[in-house]
Amino acid sequence: MAFSNFDTHAFLRDYWQKKPLLIRGAFGNWANPLDPDDLAGLACEDHVEARLITLDRERWEAEHGPFPEDRFGALGKMPWTLLVQAVDHHVPAVAALIDDFRFVPNWRIDDVMVSYASDGGGVGPHFDHYDVFLIQGLGQRRWQVGPRCDEATPLLPHDDLRLLADFRPTDEWLLEPGDILYVPPRFAHNGVAVGDDCMTYSIGFRAPSRAELIGGWADDLLESLVDDDRYEDPQLKVQANPGEIGAEALAALHAMVTEKLGDKAAFARWFGEYSSTRKYPEVDWGPEEPFTAQELREALAGGEPLLRNPASRFSFVRGEAGAVLLFVDGESYDCSGVTAAFAEHLCAGSVVEAGPDVVKSDPAMDLIATLFNQGSLGFDEG
Ligand code: SIN
Ligand code: CO
């Protein structure tokens, strides 16, 4: 599947982070990539994050998985929806949906949540903190969107669900398979299944909060700071009032903080490692016995492509003189020459071929062996 009817440049300019957009028939050849029974099967597995939301006479209830296999058959006529997180980590055809959205950088992409709803099912009117593309996969869903919300927007009292107390839709559409609704962060929205067998694929994004950035970066810095790195004042002068924290002292104290926090190269390394850390480390592709660089070299020389583990995260920053700092699953790798070019190639697409220069390069093969043996890369085993 691929977009046949969607201008990504115009979308980024006019809608991304700005306003909702309905995209009718964005895929020329939409085919629902996952069977509802297989989704239910995933929701019964340990290590898969799943929720079941039911609406029983105006009362919203949320249950968390894993679910017993007979749970869904027992729901009867009340509207319900099952939501499964990170389905792309388990189902390659769902992971492939992300390929069309790669006009957004890897580090902003979260995962694909898939929902299945019975007639009338939904999660209720709410807002999310992130952008989302809601692809209608199977059946029909009525989507309504409303204004942008904030922390002050009133919510219904509920232990588990953040539902809007007063949702006033401004637009409404009935989505058919292959239609997409884009909803920017904090816009109120509500999707209700029209008829049974309604499946929605949510391509979800992420954006760090300032609190998360400051907290995470400061924690990282703290690990390298020593106790005797301390305020010093060998030029101390008598001051008129000993109670004053003088301007010079304040400036020196402030500089002690900002010099460290302002180190851009160290920040880039920390942020790359932080943002490439896996959300679900359980999806383990690591081989039972580690491969040697030589064994991998032989396989790659035979034309075998490498696949990125969909649960792994890949990104890079450019350094000086063609150097590349590669980030994979929370670790950073300094790359130059052939390895730097390969690192960029690795970040660009989910299937990666290693050319003859890569196969000949010892540093490139060492990098591949490390990534392969830790399960970030693998071969297609069908
Ligand atoms: C759904 O798939 O039903 C819910 C997605 C959302 O509203 O965020
Ligand atoms: Co939502």
Side-chain angles (χ1 to χ4, degrees), residues 217 263-275 317-318 325 327 332:
W217 173 217
D263 182 339
K264 286 194 182 153
F267 177 80
R269 187 180 290 268
W270 167 74
F271 183 71
E273 292 176 354
Y274 172 76
S275 63
V317 298
R318 258 177 238 292
L325 185 54
F327 306 106
S332 54

PDB file of all heavy atoms in Angstrom, residues 217 263-275 317-318 325 327 332:
ATOM      1  N   TRP A 217      17.873  15.135  30.948  1.00  0.00           N
ATOM      2  CA  TRP A 217      19.207  15.665  30.624  1.00  0.00           C
ATOM      3  C   TRP A 217      19.978  15.944  31.914  1.00  0.00           C
ATOM      4  O   TRP A 217      21.158  15.628  32.039  1.00  0.00           O
ATOM      5  CB  TRP A 217      19.023  16.902  29.744  1.00  0.00           C
ATOM      6  CG  TRP A 217      20.190  17.765  29.368  1.00  0.00           C
ATOM      7  CD1 TRP A 217      20.158  19.112  29.263  1.00  0.00           C
ATOM      8  CD2 TRP A 217      21.521  17.373  28.991  1.00  0.00           C
ATOM      9  NE1 TRP A 217      21.380  19.587  28.855  1.00  0.00           N
ATOM     10  CE2 TRP A 217      22.243  18.536  28.686  1.00  0.00           C
ATOM     11  CE3 TRP A 217      22.169  16.144  28.896  1.00  0.00           C
ATOM     12  CZ2 TRP A 217      23.572  18.528  28.295  1.00  0.00           C
ATOM     13  CZ3 TRP A 217      23.502  16.124  28.508  1.00  0.00           C
ATOM     14  CH2 TRP A 217      24.187  17.303  28.209  1.00  0.00           C
ATOM     15  N   ASP A 263      25.862  22.485  27.057  1.00  0.00           N
ATOM     16  CA  ASP A 263      26.825  21.753  26.215  1.00  0.00           C
ATOM     17  C   ASP A 263      26.052  21.043  25.098  1.00  0.00           C
ATOM     18  O   ASP A 263      25.437  19.994  25.305  1.00  0.00           O
ATOM     19  CB  ASP A 263      27.588  20.751  27.103  1.00  0.00           C
ATOM     20  CG  ASP A 263      28.644  19.981  26.330  1.00  0.00           C
ATOM     21  OD1 ASP A 263      28.556  19.905  25.082  1.00  0.00           O
ATOM     22  OD2 ASP A 263      29.545  19.427  26.981  1.00  0.00           O
ATOM     23  N   LYS A 264      26.078  21.630  23.895  1.00  0.00           N
ATOM     24  CA  LYS A 264      25.222  21.132  22.806  1.00  0.00           C
ATOM     25  C   LYS A 264      25.625  19.751  22.311  1.00  0.00           C
ATOM     26  O   LYS A 264      24.767  18.932  21.978  1.00  0.00           O
ATOM     27  CB  LYS A 264      25.225  22.120  21.640  1.00  0.00           C
ATOM     28  CG  LYS A 264      24.402  23.348  21.948  1.00  0.00           C
ATOM     29  CD  LYS A 264      24.130  24.151  20.699  1.00  0.00           C
ATOM     30  CE  LYS A 264      23.343  25.398  21.080  1.00  0.00           C
ATOM     31  NZ  LYS A 264      23.564  26.499  20.164  1.00  0.00           N
ATOM     32  N   ALA A 265      26.939  19.497  22.257  1.00  0.00           N
ATOM     33  CA  ALA A 265      27.376  18.187  21.744  1.00  0.00           C
ATOM     34  C   ALA A 265      26.959  17.090  22.730  1.00  0.00           C
ATOM     35  O   ALA A 265      26.468  16.026  22.323  1.00  0.00           O
ATOM     36  CB  ALA A 265      28.883  18.184  21.543  1.00  0.00           C
ATOM     37  N   ALA A 266      27.132  17.362  24.023  1.00  0.00           N
ATOM     38  CA  ALA A 266      26.751  16.361  25.028  1.00  0.00           C
ATOM     39  C   ALA A 266      25.231  16.172  25.024  1.00  0.00           C
ATOM     40  O   ALA A 266      24.729  15.061  25.180  1.00  0.00           O
ATOM     41  CB  ALA A 266      27.238  16.782  26.407  1.00  0.00           C
ATOM     42  N   PHE A 267      24.510  17.276  24.812  1.00  0.00           N
ATOM     43  CA  PHE A 267      23.045  17.179  24.757  1.00  0.00           C
ATOM     44  C   PHE A 267      22.603  16.319  23.579  1.00  0.00           C
ATOM     45  O   PHE A 267      21.711  15.474  23.705  1.00  0.00           O
ATOM     46  CB  PHE A 267      22.417  18.576  24.649  1.00  0.00           C
ATOM     47  CG  PHE A 267      20.928  18.531  24.511  1.00  0.00           C
ATOM     48  CD1 PHE A 267      20.116  18.339  25.624  1.00  0.00           C
ATOM     49  CD2 PHE A 267      20.327  18.633  23.261  1.00  0.00           C
ATOM     50  CE1 PHE A 267      18.732  18.257  25.495  1.00  0.00           C
ATOM     51  CE2 PHE A 267      18.946  18.547  23.123  1.00  0.00           C
ATOM     52  CZ  PHE A 267      18.150  18.366  24.245  1.00  0.00           C
ATOM     53  N   ALA A 268      23.251  16.541  22.422  1.00  0.00           N
ATOM     54  CA  ALA A 268      22.871  15.777  21.226  1.00  0.00           C
ATOM     55  C   ALA A 268      23.057  14.281  21.478  1.00  0.00           C
ATOM     56  O   ALA A 268      22.202  13.463  21.128  1.00  0.00           O
ATOM     57  CB  ALA A 268      23.709  16.222  20.034  1.00  0.00           C
ATOM     58  N   ARG A 269      24.178  13.914  22.117  1.00  0.00           N
ATOM     59  CA  ARG A 269      24.423  12.493  22.384  1.00  0.00           C
ATOM     60  C   ARG A 269      23.379  11.957  23.370  1.00  0.00           C
ATOM     61  O   ARG A 269      22.780  10.911  23.159  1.00  0.00           O
ATOM     62  CB  ARG A 269      25.839  12.267  22.919  1.00  0.00           C
ATOM     63  CG  ARG A 269      26.191  10.788  23.059  1.00  0.00           C
ATOM     64  CD  ARG A 269      27.599  10.585  23.585  1.00  0.00           C
ATOM     65  NE  ARG A 269      28.631  10.950  22.628  1.00  0.00           N
ATOM     66  CZ  ARG A 269      29.202  10.114  21.766  1.00  0.00           C
ATOM     67  NH1 ARG A 269      28.841   8.843  21.733  1.00  0.00           N
ATOM     68  NH2 ARG A 269      30.149  10.529  20.948  1.00  0.00           N
ATOM     69  N   TRP A 270      23.146  12.725  24.429  1.00  0.00           N
ATOM     70  CA  TRP A 270      22.143  12.261  25.397  1.00  0.00           C
ATOM     71  C   TRP A 270      20.772  12.119  24.732  1.00  0.00           C
ATOM     72  O   TRP A 270      20.107  11.104  24.869  1.00  0.00           O
ATOM     73  CB  TRP A 270      22.021  13.234  26.594  1.00  0.00           C
ATOM     74  CG  TRP A 270      20.789  12.897  27.365  1.00  0.00           C
ATOM     75  CD1 TRP A 270      20.621  11.819  28.196  1.00  0.00           C
ATOM     76  CD2 TRP A 270      19.516  13.547  27.291  1.00  0.00           C
ATOM     77  NE1 TRP A 270      19.319  11.781  28.650  1.00  0.00           N
ATOM     78  CE2 TRP A 270      18.626  12.831  28.109  1.00  0.00           C
ATOM     79  CE3 TRP A 270      19.053  14.678  26.596  1.00  0.00           C
ATOM     80  CZ2 TRP A 270      17.285  13.195  28.274  1.00  0.00           C
ATOM     81  CZ3 TRP A 270      17.709  15.046  26.750  1.00  0.00           C
ATOM     82  CH2 TRP A 270      16.850  14.310  27.589  1.00  0.00           C
ATOM     83  N   PHE A 271      20.349  13.139  23.967  1.00  0.00           N
ATOM     84  CA  PHE A 271      18.999  13.101  23.419  1.00  0.00           C
ATOM     85  C   PHE A 271      18.839  11.947  22.427  1.00  0.00           C
ATOM     86  O   PHE A 271      17.801  11.285  22.396  1.00  0.00           O
ATOM     87  CB  PHE A 271      18.606  14.432  22.754  1.00  0.00           C
ATOM     88  CG  PHE A 271      17.193  14.385  22.262  1.00  0.00           C
ATOM     89  CD1 PHE A 271      16.137  14.380  23.163  1.00  0.00           C
ATOM     90  CD2 PHE A 271      16.918  14.249  20.905  1.00  0.00           C
ATOM     91  CE1 PHE A 271      14.824  14.263  22.721  1.00  0.00           C
ATOM     92  CE2 PHE A 271      15.604  14.129  20.462  1.00  0.00           C
ATOM     93  CZ  PHE A 271      14.557  14.146  21.373  1.00  0.00           C
ATOM     94  N   GLY A 272      19.873  11.702  21.631  1.00  0.00           N
ATOM     95  CA  GLY A 272      19.810  10.590  20.680  1.00  0.00           C
ATOM     96  C   GLY A 272      19.665   9.255  21.398  1.00  0.00           C
ATOM     97  O   GLY A 272      18.865   8.402  21.010  1.00  0.00           O
ATOM     98  N   GLU A 273      20.443   9.103  22.465  1.00  0.00           N
ATOM     99  CA  GLU A 273      20.357   7.836  23.217  1.00  0.00           C
ATOM    100  C   GLU A 273      18.991   7.724  23.901  1.00  0.00           C
ATOM    101  O   GLU A 273      18.337   6.686  23.847  1.00  0.00           O
ATOM    102  CB  GLU A 273      21.488   7.775  24.258  1.00  0.00           C
ATOM    103  CG  GLU A 273      22.870   7.656  23.619  1.00  0.00           C
ATOM    104  CD  GLU A 273      24.009   7.704  24.633  1.00  0.00           C
ATOM    105  OE1 GLU A 273      23.756   7.941  25.830  1.00  0.00           O
ATOM    106  OE2 GLU A 273      25.174   7.512  24.194  1.00  0.00           O
ATOM    107  N   TYR A 274      18.585   8.818  24.501  1.00  0.00           N
ATOM    108  CA  TYR A 274      17.309   8.833  25.236  1.00  0.00           C
ATOM    109  C   TYR A 274      16.136   8.539  24.308  1.00  0.00           C
ATOM    110  O   TYR A 274      15.293   7.688  24.590  1.00  0.00           O
ATOM    111  CB  TYR A 274      17.159  10.207  25.893  1.00  0.00           C
ATOM    112  CG  TYR A 274      15.831  10.469  26.517  1.00  0.00           C
ATOM    113  CD1 TYR A 274      15.489   9.892  27.732  1.00  0.00           C
ATOM    114  CD2 TYR A 274      14.904  11.315  25.885  1.00  0.00           C
ATOM    115  CE1 TYR A 274      14.257  10.143  28.314  1.00  0.00           C
ATOM    116  CE2 TYR A 274      13.677  11.570  26.461  1.00  0.00           C
ATOM    117  CZ  TYR A 274      13.352  10.983  27.671  1.00  0.00           C
ATOM    118  OH  TYR A 274      12.132  11.230  28.232  1.00  0.00           O
ATOM    119  N   SER A 275      16.091   9.254  23.176  1.00  0.00           N
ATOM    120  CA  SER A 275      14.923   9.125  22.300  1.00  0.00           C
ATOM    121  C   SER A 275      14.939   7.832  21.501  1.00  0.00           C
ATOM    122  O   SER A 275      13.919   7.435  20.953  1.00  0.00           O
ATOM    123  CB  SER A 275      14.816  10.335  21.366  1.00  0.00           C
ATOM    124  OG  SER A 275      15.940  10.386  20.522  1.00  0.00           O
ATOM    125  N   VAL A 317      22.719  11.864  14.262  1.00  0.00           N
ATOM    126  CA  VAL A 317      23.037  13.279  14.069  1.00  0.00           C
ATOM    127  C   VAL A 317      24.351  13.354  13.297  1.00  0.00           C
ATOM    128  O   VAL A 317      25.205  12.465  13.419  1.00  0.00           O
ATOM    129  CB  VAL A 317      23.136  14.100  15.388  1.00  0.00           C
ATOM    130  CG1 VAL A 317      21.820  14.124  16.143  1.00  0.00           C
ATOM    131  CG2 VAL A 317      24.234  13.599  16.287  1.00  0.00           C
ATOM    132  N   ARG A 318      24.453  14.404  12.514  1.00  0.00           N
ATOM    133  CA  ARG A 318      25.656  14.605  11.722  1.00  0.00           C
ATOM    134  C   ARG A 318      26.731  15.283  12.549  1.00  0.00           C
ATOM    135  O   ARG A 318      26.439  16.223  13.282  1.00  0.00           O
ATOM    136  CB  ARG A 318      25.326  15.515  10.544  1.00  0.00           C
ATOM    137  CG  ARG A 318      25.167  14.790   9.263  1.00  0.00           C
ATOM    138  CD  ARG A 318      24.767  15.764   8.159  1.00  0.00           C
ATOM    139  NE  ARG A 318      23.501  15.339   7.575  1.00  0.00           N
ATOM    140  CZ  ARG A 318      23.373  14.236   6.857  1.00  0.00           C
ATOM    141  NH1 ARG A 318      24.405  13.454   6.626  1.00  0.00           N
ATOM    142  NH2 ARG A 318      22.203  13.906   6.360  1.00  0.00           N
ATOM    143  N   LEU A 325      26.878  10.289  14.188  1.00  0.00           N
ATOM    144  CA  LEU A 325      26.659   9.667  15.482  1.00  0.00           C
ATOM    145  C   LEU A 325      25.334   8.920  15.367  1.00  0.00           C
ATOM    146  O   LEU A 325      24.270   9.538  15.231  1.00  0.00           O
ATOM    147  CB  LEU A 325      26.628  10.749  16.566  1.00  0.00           C
ATOM    148  CG  LEU A 325      26.535  10.293  18.006  1.00  0.00           C
ATOM    149  CD1 LEU A 325      27.646   9.298  18.357  1.00  0.00           C
ATOM    150  CD2 LEU A 325      26.612  11.507  18.941  1.00  0.00           C
ATOM    151  N   PHE A 327      22.331   6.377  16.583  1.00  0.00           N
ATOM    152  CA  PHE A 327      21.648   5.956  17.808  1.00  0.00           C
ATOM    153  C   PHE A 327      20.742   4.778  17.504  1.00  0.00           C
ATOM    154  O   PHE A 327      19.911   4.855  16.607  1.00  0.00           O
ATOM    155  CB  PHE A 327      20.787   7.092  18.364  1.00  0.00           C
ATOM    156  CG  PHE A 327      21.559   8.353  18.578  1.00  0.00           C
ATOM    157  CD1 PHE A 327      21.400   9.424  17.705  1.00  0.00           C
ATOM    158  CD2 PHE A 327      22.459   8.459  19.614  1.00  0.00           C
ATOM    159  CE1 PHE A 327      22.131  10.590  17.885  1.00  0.00           C
ATOM    160  CE2 PHE A 327      23.193   9.622  19.808  1.00  0.00           C
ATOM    161  CZ  PHE A 327      23.029  10.688  18.940  1.00  0.00           C
ATOM    162  N   SER A 332      24.793   4.890  21.534  1.00  0.00           N
ATOM    163  CA  SER A 332      25.307   5.712  20.434  1.00  0.00           C
ATOM    164  C   SER A 332      26.574   5.087  19.861  1.00  0.00           C
ATOM    165  O   SER A 332      27.323   4.414  20.582  1.00  0.00           O
ATOM    166  CB  SER A 332      25.570   7.134  20.917  1.00  0.00           C
ATOM    167  OG  SER A 332      26.409   7.127  22.051  1.00  0.00           O
TER     168      SER A 332
END
